[in-house]
């Protein structure tokens, strides 16, 4: 018998019975399939609609004057405040100082966490020694170290950099360790079979295989560094975005504070896009 017999009908058909149903599936419903990649145009339109709804809701809430305009300025007032800060004040230098602190502290954190995380992920004996120390520190809030850092390092730049490093380094160690463990065991066994030494396997097999995930982990954890920036800069700071926001608080300039928050968000987004670009250009073979 040629063809396929449909269940319960006894009718022969040359195509599976499920195809007509697939052909008439509604386009909107198909967008909600599990892990289905949406078209780029749909993603851009969705992002535009989300931001439009957020800004419109913010504007309407401010215009309704449920609270005084001074305490809840609208988005237009915040943009005007940001322009005024950039043109009339020294906010540009504050932004540069904050970016410098983020980059310096994050580079220090990666320089500490990456070698340790790689060794912990590659050698269980190293993990057995360090993990009991690293794991508990992940649960200690970095701001709780501020009094100690002030006593040990004073109110200068070292105290702020140390706080930013403490905010991310323990998480980086654990995540880098997990990235290293995720390297396929077959690659390690094959290289050992071919006569590679332990350090050759680590440097030429494990590290290159895990490098894309290291970069992606660094991108995600850089966002955490930005969340600690204001905390680091509100304690005895004379410059930086956080210091500007504290000065604005004294004069109840909520529009200036929101402008600072806006700048932090935009800078974080810019660095995230930069890391994505580095990942895309550096690891073309993953496409």
């Amino acid at each position: 018998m040629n063809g396929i017999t449909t269940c319960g009908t006894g009718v022969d058909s040359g195509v599976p019975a499920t195809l007509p149903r697939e052909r008439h599936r509604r386009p909107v419903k198909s967008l909600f399939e599990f892990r289905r990649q949406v078209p780029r145009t749909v993603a851009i339109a969705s992002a535009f609609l989300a931001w439009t709804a957020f800004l419109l809701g913010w504007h309407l809430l401010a215009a309704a004057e449920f609270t005084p305009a001074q305490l809840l300025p609208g988005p237009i007032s915040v943009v005007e405040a940001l322009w005024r800060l950039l043109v009339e004040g020294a906010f540009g230098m504050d932004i540069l100082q904050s970016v410098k602190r983020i980059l310096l502290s994050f580079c220090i954190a990666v320089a500490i966490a990456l070698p340790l995380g790689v060794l912990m992920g590659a050698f269980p004996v190293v993990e057995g020694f360090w993990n009991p120390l690293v794991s508990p520190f992940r649960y200690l809030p970095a701001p709780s170290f501020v009094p100690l850092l002030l006593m040990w390092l004073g109110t200068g730049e070292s105290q702020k950099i140390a706080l930013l490093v403490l905010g991310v380094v323990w998480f980086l160690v654990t995540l880098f360790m997990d990235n290293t463990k995720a390297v396929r065991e077959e690659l390690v066994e094959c290289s050992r079979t071919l006569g590679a030494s332990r350090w050759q396997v680590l440097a030429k097999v494990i590290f290159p295989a895990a490098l894309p995930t290291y970069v992606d982990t660094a991108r995600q954890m850089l966002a955490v560094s930005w969340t600690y920036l204001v905390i680091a800069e509100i304690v005895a700071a004379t410059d930086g975005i956080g210091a500007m926001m504290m000065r604005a608080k004294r004069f109840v300039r909520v529009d200036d504070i929101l402008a600072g928050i806006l700048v932090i968000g935009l800078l974080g987004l810019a660095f995230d896009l930069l890391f994505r670009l580095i990942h895309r250009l550096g690891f073309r073979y993953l496409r």
Side-chain angles (χ1 to χ4, degrees), residues 154-231:
T155 59
E157 199 70 12
S158 300
Q159 175 262 335
K160 300 172 182 59
I161 299 298
L163 179 61
L164 291 172
V165 170
L166 288 173
V168 297
V169 67
W170 311 115
F171 296 97
L172 281 172
V173 170
T174 302
L175 292 172
F176 286 151
M177 177 185 68
D178 292 339
N179 296 153
T180 305
K181 288 182 177 181
V183 175
R184 292 169 53 192
E185 188 65 27
E186 294 87 348
L187 296 176
V188 178
E189 292 177 353
C190 181
S191 57
R192 290 290 287 164
T193 301
L194 293 174
S197 66
R198 290 183 177 85
W199 295 109
Q200 285 176 326
V201 173
L202 185 64
K204 297 184 178 181
V205 177
I206 295 178
F207 186 82
L211 186 57
T213 56
Y214 294 152
V215 174
D216 198 49
T217 293
R219 176 183 65 85
Q220 296 175 20
M221 289 307 302
L222 183 60
V224 178
S225 279
W226 283 103
T227 64
Y228 285 109
L229 177 66
V230 175
I231 298 174

Side-chain angles (χ1 to χ4, degrees), residues 72-256:
L72 183 60
I76 297 176
S77 299
V78 173
V79 173
E80 291 175 347
L82 176 58
W83 177 255
R84 173 176 47 79
L85 288 168
L86 291 172
V87 173
E88 299 178 1
F91 191 45
M93 296 302 299
D94 289 329
I95 294 174
L96 291 176
Q97 187 67 17
S98 293
V99 171
K100 185 184 78 171
R101 287 171 180 149
I102 287 290
L103 292 178
L104 178 59
S105 63
F106 195 73
C107 287
I108 294 173
V110 170
I112 296 171
L114 185 57
L116 185 57
V118 171
L119 292 175
M120 289 172 64
F123 301 111
V125 65
V126 180
E127 179 186 2
F129 179 83
W130 284 105
N131 203 40
L133 295 174
V134 171
S135 293
F137 277 101
R138 286 186 297 149
Y139 299 98
L140 299 179
S144 64
F145 288 94
V146 169
L148 290 175
L149 293 175
L150 286 172
M151 289 187 290
W152 291 343
L153 303 175
T155 59
E157 199 70 12
S158 300
Q159 175 262 335
K160 300 172 182 59
I161 299 298
L163 179 61
L164 291 172
V165 170
L166 288 173
V168 297
V169 67
W170 311 115
F171 296 97
L172 281 172
V173 170
T174 302
L175 292 172
F176 286 151
M177 177 185 68
D178 292 339
N179 296 153
T180 305
K181 288 182 177 181
V183 175
R184 292 169 53 192
E185 188 65 27
E186 294 87 348
L187 296 176
V188 178
E189 292 177 353
C190 181
S191 57
R192 290 290 287 164
T193 301
L194 293 174
S197 66
R198 290 183 177 85
W199 295 109
Q200 285 176 326
V201 173
L202 185 64
K204 297 184 178 181
V205 177
I206 295 178
F207 186 82
L211 186 57
T213 56
Y214 294 152
V215 174
D216 198 49
T217 293
R219 176 183 65 85
Q220 296 175 20
M221 289 307 302
L222 183 60
V224 178
S225 279
W226 283 103
T227 64
Y228 285 109
L229 177 66
V230 175
I231 298 174
E233 292 184 340
I234 63 176
V235 180
T238 58
D239 53 10
I241 300 174
M244 182 280 295
M245 295 169 67
M246 290 303 295
R247 291 194 298 268
K249 171 182 172 293
R250 298 184 195 132
F251 301 100
V252 199
R253 296 302 304 262
V254 179
D255 52 351
D256 289 0

Side-chain angles (χ1 to χ4, degrees), residues 50-66:
W51 276 105
T52 301
F54 171 74
L55 293 173
L56 181 60
W58 179 8
H59 174 75
L60 294 175
L61 186 62
E65 296 184 352
F66 291 112

